[in-house]
Amino acid sequence: MKGTTGATPTMTANTTTTDFDARAATWDDDPAKVERARAIADAIERHVPLAPTMRALEYGCGTGLLGFMLRPRLGDVTLADVSEGMLEVAAGKIAAAGDAAMRTVRLDLLADPLPPQRFDLVFSLMTLHHIPDTAAILRRFRDVLAQPGYLCIADLDAEDGSFHGAGFDGHLGFDREALAATARAAGFAAVDFSTAHVITREAGGEVRRFPVFLMVARTGHSG
């Protein structure tokens, strides 16, 4: 499945991991992808009290663009995806950096057992709209988070289908109030939204602007 930083676990039917395996080697060459990741990283840094003691999971990491940008502010970072090609590129970047506190893992939270560790921060970029069962994945995010813990989801505001075009079978973005209600039902508290980025692209013969929100939700209060 298509996402800003990589292939998305539990993909919809019209995109496969093979598509992302094939694109992995040149994924980071797209300046627009780097710009989006930087904007989301900056937004997370503004809204979450990051610390070098925090254990973090990037879900749907692709080549780890976002994870690497946040790495200086975090402790252990796990990069999770289902595309072996993307994970291979991410692992190569980790090896080149010599960073023993970063690792990759093939993980689909809706199909695989929960990992044994719990994380202080889970984050994803342009992943949620590709996962069919939003409520279920939010519950799984809650389950892998520590208490307290932070969930940061960056994704599209509700749109008319122009972003992906005909044939897309995922979510057409999200209504913020409805998504907040789903997050609270999954066990999250203090759900907040901000506009972190705007994607500009041609759609239907005209240049369109597609806002990308950052949702920050907590599993508990830090006091």
Side-chain angles (χ1 to χ4, degrees):
M1 249 248 141
K2 188 175 180 179
T4 298
T5 54
T8 305
T10 313
M11 298 182 193
T12 53
N14 64 347
T15 316
T16 69
T17 56
T18 304
D19 299 318
F20 288 92
D21 292 344
R23 300 167 65 191
T26 58
W27 192 262
D28 291 2
D29 297 339
D30 184 347
K33 293 182 176 65
V34 177
E35 179 187 4
R36 294 173 211 169
R38 181 74 268 167
I40 302 308
D42 290 346
I44 291 174
E45 291 183 9
R46 288 194 300 270
H47 294 285
V48 178
L50 303 181
T53 56
M54 295 180 81
R55 299 155 298 173
L57 170 70
E58 181 179 6
Y59 191 68
C61 68
T63 63
L65 275 175
L66 180 56
F68 273 92
M69 289 178 181
L70 291 174
R71 174 67 186 91
R73 301 287 303 277
L74 297 169
D76 289 348
V77 177
T78 298
L79 304 177
D81 209 303
V82 296
S83 164
E84 297 290 356
M86 290 289 188
L87 290 173
E88 183 178 349
V89 172
K93 291 162 65 174
I94 293 171
D99 194 336
M102 293 188 81
R103 65 197 57 83
T104 62
V105 61
R106 189 186 188 283
L107 178 65
D108 181 340
L109 280 175
L110 290 184
D112 300 329
L114 289 177
Q117 67 268 49
R118 293 297 173 263
F119 300 95
D120 304 297
L121 172 68
V122 172
F123 57 95
S124 74
L125 171 54
M126 298 290 283
T127 295
L128 191 65
H129 68 267
H130 291 288
I131 299 175
D133 195 335
T134 303
I137 193 62
L138 289 175
R139 289 193 296 269
R140 296 292 273 181
F141 287 152
R142 177 206 61 200
D143 291 342
V144 300
L145 278 165
Q147 299 282 343
Y150 289 88
L151 173 66
C152 294
I153 299 290
D155 216 303
L156 292 165
D157 277 315
E159 50 97 15
D160 62 5
S162 300
F163 186 82
H164 290 95
F168 179 67
D169 60 354
H171 301 280
L172 303 183
F174 297 91
D175 175 85
R176 298 187 186 192
E177 290 187 8
L179 184 57
T182 304
R184 287 191 289 267
F188 288 95
V191 182
D192 297 304
F193 285 82
S194 61
T195 299
H197 185 59
V198 177
I199 298 171
T200 302
R201 63 162 57 177
E202 185 175 330
E206 62 178 317
V207 176
R208 296 277 302 276
R209 291 166 58 84
F210 298 93
V212 176
F213 62 77
L214 176 67
M215 181 183 82
V216 179
R218 285 185 283 176
T219 58
H221 296 281
S222 57

